[in-house]
Amino acid sequence: MTPKGSFENQYDDYSVEVAANIINDSKNGISEKFQTKLKNFKTMKLQLLKTKMESDIFYDGTVYTGSAGLALYYYMCSLNNDASSHESLKLATEYLDIENLKGRRISFLCGDAGPLAIATVVSYKMGTKRNDKILPDYKTLAQRLMSLISLLNESPDEILYGKAGYLYALLFVNKHINGKEIIPVNHIEKVINSILKSGKQYSAQMKSDSPLLWHWHDKIYYGAAHGMAGILYMLLQARLHMNIIEIQSFIKPAIDWLLRQRYRSGNFPSSMGSTSGDKLIQWCHGAPGFVPLCLLAAQIFEDEKYLKMAIQCGDLIWQRGLCTKGYSLCHGVSGNAYAFIQLYQATKKPLYLYRACCFMEWCAVERPGTELHRPDRPASLFEGLCGRLYLAKDITRIAEARFPAFCL
C-alpha cells in the first residue's frame, strides 16, 4: 500500500522490452521517439511560460521563485556549444535583475548570490559580445558576489537561505569559468570554516554523537533544503578546499550519524524528533535529497555501504516518489527524477535512466488529478513549470545533467 502523500506507481519496472520506446538501443540515452515528445513539450510549455505566465516569472529576481531560475535554464541551454549558444546567453540576460537585489540573503537559491553568480558566468562567456548597458563586466559582478560575505555571520548554514547556498554560488562561478580563479581560495575557505565552526559548536552544545550538527528555525533538519544532507553534500563538493583531517574526523562521521537516522523503510525523517511520520519522499525532505550525498560519499571514501544506501533510496523513490503535491523540483516528481539520473550516472544501469524517463513522462503529461497542490509560484524553477523544462533538457544530455543549484 502506498502511504498518503504519493500516488501508486503503475509504470512497469524496467525490462528491455518495456523500455524499448523510451531509451535508445545503446542504453545510454533516450530514444528518438521520447526525444521528440520532450521537444514538443518544451516548445509548447516555453511558449506558455513566456506569454501567459510571464508576470509570474518576474514574481521576484531569485533562482527559486523568480526570473533568475529561467536565466539559469537559458545558461544551461548555452552549454550545448552549438550555433544557438550565444542566443541562449543573450536570453539569460533578459531574466537577470541585478540592479534590484535585496541585500538581505546570501544564498544561491533564495538570495542575491544566485543572480550574481549566474550573471558573472554569463558576462564572462559573452565576452566582447556583451552589452555593457545590460550586464556589467564579470570582474565587477564577481566582486559584488564576494561582498555578500558581509552577511555570513548573520546567515543560517543551510542551502535555501544560508551559507551552504553561498558556498554553492562561489563553487559554481569557479567551475563554469574554467582556468581562472575568479573566487580566491581563501574566500571559499572562510565560508567553509564558518559552516564547520557553527556545526562543531552546536554539536557540543547539544552533546550530540555527531561531530557536526546544524539547526534552522530551532529544528535539526535532516534533508537537502534546510538540513544536514544538503550542508554535508555541499561541503563534500568543496573538499579540495578542506584538509583531510576535517573530512575524515568531522564530515565522514557526521554523514554516518545522519544516515543512521533513517526509517526502516529507507526514508528519512524531516527533522530530529519529527512527529509527521514517514511520508515525505521529495528532494527537500526525504530520501531523494540523500541520493547525491550517498553517491559522492561512496566515491570519496571508496565504501560500498554508501552506494548500497543510495540504491535503496532509489528503490523507495520508485515505489513512493510520485508525489501528490505535484511536479516540482523542490517537493515533487521532477526533483525525484533527478535521483534516478544521479544513480544512472554512478552505475550506468539503464534501469535508472528508464525510471527517470517514467517520472519525466509523469511530469510532462499532467494527467488530471496528479497535482493536488497548485504551486504558489507556478512558473518558477523550484516550484513550477521552469523546473520541468530544466529536467526535460537535462534528460536529453544525461551525462552532463545536474540537479540545479545543488549538484556541481
Side-chain angles (χ1 to χ4, degrees):
M1 185 178 162
T2 307
K4 192 178 176 185
S6 59
F7 295 104
E8 186 178 345
N9 186 348
Q10 296 188 347
Y11 288 104
D12 292 325
D13 208 349
Y14 175 78
S15 70
V16 173
E17 295 76 26
V18 165
N21 288 328
I22 296 175
I23 62 178
N24 63 24
D25 293 342
S26 303
K27 312 287 189 291
N28 63 356
I30 64 175
S31 67
E32 281 188 30
K33 186 176 179 181
F34 195 57
Q35 195 139 348
T36 301
K37 269 189 182 179
L38 292 186
K39 189 177 179 182
N40 293 338
F41 166 75
K42 284 185 288 183
T43 302
M44 182 178 70
K45 293 298 188 181
L46 202 51
Q47 176 67 15
L48 176 68
L49 199 64
K50 295 172 79 170
T51 52
K52 291 183 179 176
M53 301 178 82
E54 188 177 31
S55 61
D56 189 59
I57 291 171
F58 289 97
Y59 168 73
D60 62 25
T62 70
V63 173
Y64 189 95
T65 49
S67 59
L70 193 53
L72 184 61
Y73 169 80
Y74 278 121
Y75 171 68
M76 189 263 286
C77 290
S78 78
L79 301 178
N80 291 343
N81 293 320
D82 59 19
S84 65
S85 290
H86 178 72
E87 189 57 34
S88 294
L89 289 171
K90 201 172 161 190
L91 283 166
T93 67
E94 294 177 18
Y95 296 94
L96 288 167
D97 181 8
I98 52 168
E99 299 312 315
N100 295 296
L101 299 177
K102 298 287 193 291
R104 291 199 302 268
R105 286 179 179 157
I106 199 172
S107 68
F108 188 93
L109 275 170
C110 294
D112 293 0
L116 285 170
I118 298 164
T120 302
V121 173
V122 169
S123 176
Y124 176 81
K125 300 268 185 178
M126 292 187 86
T128 55
K129 295 179 181 177
R130 175 179 53 85
N131 183 332
D132 290 353
K133 291 177 183 174
I134 295 171
L135 204 59
D137 176 70
Y138 76 92
K139 291 177 184 172
T140 304
L141 290 161
Q143 283 300 321
R144 285 185 64 186
L145 175 63
M146 288 170 61
S147 72
L148 292 176
I149 202 163
S150 63
L151 300 170
L152 195 67
N153 291 338
E154 62 196 67
S155 298
D157 294 285
E158 44 84 270
I159 295 279
L160 235 64
Y161 302 110
K163 299 172 196 171
Y166 183 50
L167 177 57
Y168 177 85
L170 304 176
L171 298 173
F172 175 87
V173 168
N174 277 0
K175 180 191 173 179
H176 288 272
I177 304 182
N178 287 334
K180 285 180 181 279
E181 190 189 277
I182 305 300
I183 310 297
V185 168
N186 67 341
H187 191 88
I188 294 171
E189 287 174 350
K190 279 179 193 171
V191 180
I192 292 168
N193 290 338
S194 178
I195 296 169
L196 288 172
K197 183 181 177 184
S198 55
K200 291 171 185 176
Q201 286 177 341
Y202 195 64
S203 168
Q205 183 186 325
M206 298 300 290
K207 297 182 171 60
S208 174
D209 290 337
S210 171
L212 296 169
L213 204 67
W214 297 275
H215 63 107
W216 184 74
H217 283 201
D218 301 321
K219 279 188 179 180
I220 297 164
Y221 281 95
Y222 291 152
H226 299 298
M228 292 183 64
I231 298 168
L232 289 165
Y233 178 59
M234 207 54 64
L235 289 171
L236 281 188
Q237 290 186 102
R239 63 192 177 281
L240 296 180
H241 302 284
M242 299 166 64
N243 68 56
I244 195 70
I245 295 167
E246 295 280 19
I247 294 169
Q248 290 291 349
S249 303
F250 290 91
I251 305 286
K252 186 178 185 296
I255 293 170
D256 291 340
W257 176 87
L258 177 63
L259 296 180
R260 288 196 295 272
Q261 310 311 309
R262 67 179 182 158
Y263 292 119
R264 278 187 178 178
S265 69
N267 196 26
F268 289 84
S270 59
S271 61
M272 185 183 285
S274 171
T275 56
S276 60
D278 176 9
K279 64 182 182 184
L280 299 178
I281 309 284
Q282 53 200 47
W283 172 78
C284 50
H285 301 293
F290 284 77
V291 169
L293 173 66
C294 291
L295 291 173
L296 190 52
Q299 179 191 322
I300 294 167
F301 303 120
E302 298 179 339
D303 191 330
E304 284 288 309
K305 75 178 181 184
Y306 300 114
L307 177 60
K308 187 178 174 186
M309 196 165 288
I311 288 168
Q312 288 169 351
C313 285
D315 290 339
L316 178 76
I317 297 161
W318 177 246
Q319 293 159 22
R320 293 171 48 193
L322 294 175
C323 309
T324 57
K325 287 181 182 176
Y327 316 119
S328 75
L329 284 176
C330 184
H331 39 261
V333 182
S334 290
N336 292 352
Y338 271 98
F340 299 131
I341 291 174
Q342 291 148 0
L343 281 161
Y344 172 74
Q345 290 170 337
T347 66
K348 298 297 182 284
K349 290 185 177 178
L351 158 77
Y352 296 116
L353 178 55
Y354 167 78
R355 287 179 173 183
C357 290
C358 289
F359 275 35
M360 174 73 253
E361 195 265 356
W362 177 274
C363 295
V365 173
E366 301 175 23
R367 293 173 183 85
T370 57
E371 184 178 52
L372 302 187
H373 302 267
R374 181 175 162 78
D376 293 335
R377 302 267 60 94
S380 68
L381 180 64
F382 263 67
E383 291 182 4
L385 179 54
C386 188
R388 283 188 279 159
L389 289 170
Y390 202 107
L391 172 64
K393 180 71 180 172
D394 255 357
I395 222 162
T396 63
R397 30 164 249 145
I398 199 75
E400 292 82 36
R402 299 289 183 272
F403 193 108
F406 191 54
C407 302
L408 288 159

